[in-house]
Amino acid sequence: MVATNAFGMGIDKSDVRYVIHYNMPKNLESYYQEAGRAGRDGEDSDCILMFGQQDIETARFFIENTEPNPELSDEQNDTFKKKEEERLSFMIAYCKTKGCLRAYMLRYFGDAADDRCEKCSNCLTNFKTVDVTVDAQKILSCIVRTRQRFGAQTICDVLRGKESQWVKSFHLTEQSTFALLKGMRQKKIKSLIDELEAQGYIVYVGAGKPILKVTDAGWLVLKGKAQVQTREALTIQTTVKTAPVSENDTELFEALRELRAKIAQKRGVPAFVIFSDSALRDMCLKTPTTDEEFLTVNGVGETKLKLYGKLFTDRILAYKNPALYAEKNKQSEQRKSKTVSHYTIPFDRWTAEETADLIAEYNGGRSIKEIAWGHNRTQRAIRFALDKLRDKGLIY
């Protein structure tokens, strides 16, 4: 599914595994809401954000050219713009930080967070700390000597010694910083500029194609009174994934998925509404065969226990201990056949065990006729009992 920022995506699914942003959102509030559509079922999911300088310039342009709200005063409109610029600056810093992305996000919203989550791309990257003070001084010097009138691309061209028509038109080839970083790749210089901005040594000023200005902290670096360090990536580990179901439990997992699909089809709902994959994996791990054990499964409460407990515990028991499952079924059939003939006790009180069997059989897809025969009751009695269960929300 592809969507723009102008329209809601309308996703009603909990098992979204990837959310990919092709452009940078305008603030962290938007990104949190959009990326938050991934993994709502508790399973690990990937959020990939691609961004570039053009995204930043576009966002700044829209802020700068926002139509004033006629219901607000000029001062209030200016305050609104400044707030939007501040929110954008946090979004930019998030994109450029080399720290834990989860920690950055949580702290932005006022929550406590560990320094590392061990799951985001930054935590999975091995970094080394590098002193880049000398190169930073060259960049800062170039910005100052060109009178702080140009953006990152022009500063990059001057430092690399690129004699473009634009550079020549401003006589920048005559600057002492021209070609000062001739042997350095453009990408590297731009990365250092981003790092200087992230650490507060320079700022972007203006909308559209903003110019670079040196801050008070940047002047300290220029004068040799402060050092600049950055973290450079060495290797990136493979993204952490949810531990797969063991080879021995694959058969059980598939059996539970099949049962879940059958129930979902009968109810006319997506499978994850019944149980998520993570809940099925937990069942494979814990193999519950009693109500008490089933309640320990992630995502299982009293309601789902009543609705699906017997169905799933029976399926697990059949896998875990076929002999015991067969004996349990045999006892159940003997209990049901104690009546001399069918339909002699159509409206006798239902025991708790019989009610649990009725819910499991109905949710499992058995017909009214089959259920009536198994319980020695009329189809009318079965429908009456099912209506009462439906009123209580125990079946659908």
Side-chain angles (χ1 to χ4, degrees):
M1 176 176 287
V2 179
T4 71
N5 287 341
F7 301 96
M9 288 184 279
I11 295 176
D12 185 24
K13 289 181 176 293
S14 68
D15 56 348
V16 174
R17 290 289 163 261
Y18 295 91
V19 172
I20 302 173
H21 279 79
Y22 188 69
N23 301 99
M24 181 189 74
K26 62 183 179 181
N27 52 54
L28 277 169
E29 287 82 357
S30 297
Y31 182 65
Y32 184 78
Q33 192 273 335
E34 293 159 11
R37 296 177 183 273
R40 291 184 176 179
D41 59 355
E43 293 286 292
D44 284 347
S45 304
D46 291 308
C47 297
I48 300 168
L49 170 58
M50 294 180 279
F51 76 100
Q53 185 61 36
Q54 184 61 48
D55 296 334
I56 299 172
E57 294 173 1
T58 300
R60 286 192 171 121
F61 175 83
F62 280 121
I63 292 174
E64 190 68 23
N65 291 276
T66 299
E67 288 292 329
N69 187 335
E71 297 181 1
L72 300 178
S73 65
D74 291 343
E75 184 179 351
Q76 289 174 322
N77 277 307
D78 288 341
T79 300
F80 174 77
K81 279 190 177 182
K82 289 178 181 178
K83 183 62 178 177
E84 289 299 294
E85 289 170 358
E86 181 184 356
R87 294 167 74 192
L88 174 62
S89 69
F90 281 110
M91 184 72 243
I92 295 169
Y94 174 84
C95 293
K96 296 181 178 180
T97 183
K98 291 183 172 66
C100 175
L101 296 173
R102 180 177 184 273
Y104 187 101
M105 182 78 75
L106 289 174
R107 289 167 185 165
Y108 174 79
F109 288 107
D111 295 325
D114 295 331
D115 290 335
R116 296 176 64 85
C117 68
E118 305 300 344
K119 288 192 175 184
C120 73
S121 57
N122 284 349
C123 285
L124 295 175
T125 301
N126 292 323
F127 289 100
K128 65 176 180 179
T129 301
V130 179
D131 189 311
V132 292
T133 303
V134 174
D135 289 337
Q137 288 173 330
K138 293 176 181 179
I139 293 172
L140 293 170
S141 178
C142 184
I143 295 172
V144 171
R145 291 183 181 279
T146 55
R147 301 180 183 180
Q148 304 187 78
R149 297 181 299 162
F150 300 99
Q153 183 60 56
T154 301
I155 297 300
C156 204
D157 289 345
V158 172
L159 287 168
R160 294 183 68 239
K162 185 176 181 180
E163 298 185 29
S164 65
Q165 191 61 42
W166 174 265
V167 170
K168 289 179 180 179
S169 67
F170 290 96
H171 307 289
L172 300 181
T173 55
E174 301 169 12
Q175 293 288 337
S176 60
T177 55
F178 185 77
L180 204 56
L181 293 176
K182 188 174 183 178
M184 188 176 289
R185 296 174 59 190
Q186 177 175 296
K187 184 178 180 180
K188 175 67 174 177
I189 298 175
K190 282 193 172 182
S191 177
L192 285 172
I193 291 174
D194 288 344
E195 188 65 31
L196 290 174
E197 185 205 12
Q199 295 190 32
Y201 297 117
I202 57 176
V203 292
Y204 283 94
V205 179
K209 295 186 178 297
I211 60 176
L212 294 172
K213 298 277 189 180
V214 177
T215 65
D216 292 341
W219 281 104
L220 292 177
V221 175
L222 263 176
K223 294 174 182 179
K225 296 181 179 180
Q227 291 185 321
V228 181
Q229 292 185 330
T230 186
R231 298 171 71 202
E232 291 186 354
L234 294 174
T235 58
I236 299 178
Q237 304 171 23
T238 303
T239 304
V240 175
K241 291 295 182 182
T242 304
V245 177
S246 68
E247 187 175 340
N248 293 335
D249 291 338
T250 300
E251 183 180 345
L252 175 59
F253 182 70
E254 291 303 322
L256 296 179
R257 286 187 65 186
E258 183 181 339
L259 174 59
R260 180 183 65 176
K262 186 176 181 181
I263 297 172
Q265 184 178 20
K266 178 177 176 60
R267 287 190 52 190
V269 296
F272 66 81
V273 172
I274 310 301
F275 284 118
S276 66
D277 281 355
S278 58
L280 298 187
R281 289 193 181 93
D282 203 33
M283 290 182 204
C284 292
L285 179 66
K286 296 174 179 176
T287 58
T289 56
T290 66
D291 288 355
E292 292 75 15
E293 292 173 347
F294 197 65
L295 281 171
T296 66
V297 173
N298 293 331
V300 174
E302 291 291 344
T303 300
K304 288 200 172 184
L305 171 65
K306 291 177 181 178
L307 288 173
Y308 315 119
K310 180 173 172 54
L311 287 169
F312 281 85
T313 53
D314 279 355
R315 186 63 60 92
I316 292 169
L317 181 62
Y319 168 82
K320 186 177 179 180
N321 193 332
L324 182 59
Y325 175 72
E327 179 61 26
K328 183 180 177 182
N329 264 358
K330 182 178 179 182
Q331 292 175 0
S332 178
E333 291 301 320
Q334 288 175 345
R335 175 179 56 78
K336 291 177 182 179
S337 63
K338 284 182 179 178
T339 308
V340 176
S341 61
H342 288 282
Y343 315 136
T344 58
I345 51 167
F347 290 101
D348 276 10
R349 182 179 296 276
W350 289 75
T351 65
E353 188 175 1
E354 286 176 318
T355 301
D357 286 344
L358 175 62
I359 294 172
E361 290 161 1
Y362 179 77
N363 285 336
R366 296 189 66 182
S367 68
I368 299 294
K369 183 177 181 180
E370 290 172 328
I371 296 173
W373 180 263
H375 286 272
N376 302 320
R377 297 175 186 265
T378 64
Q379 294 183 40
R380 181 186 174 194
I382 297 300
R383 289 193 181 93
F384 182 77
L386 291 174
D387 286 341
K388 291 178 66 177
L389 291 172
R390 196 173 286 111
D391 290 340
K392 294 178 181 179
L394 297 177
I395 61 172
Y396 296 89

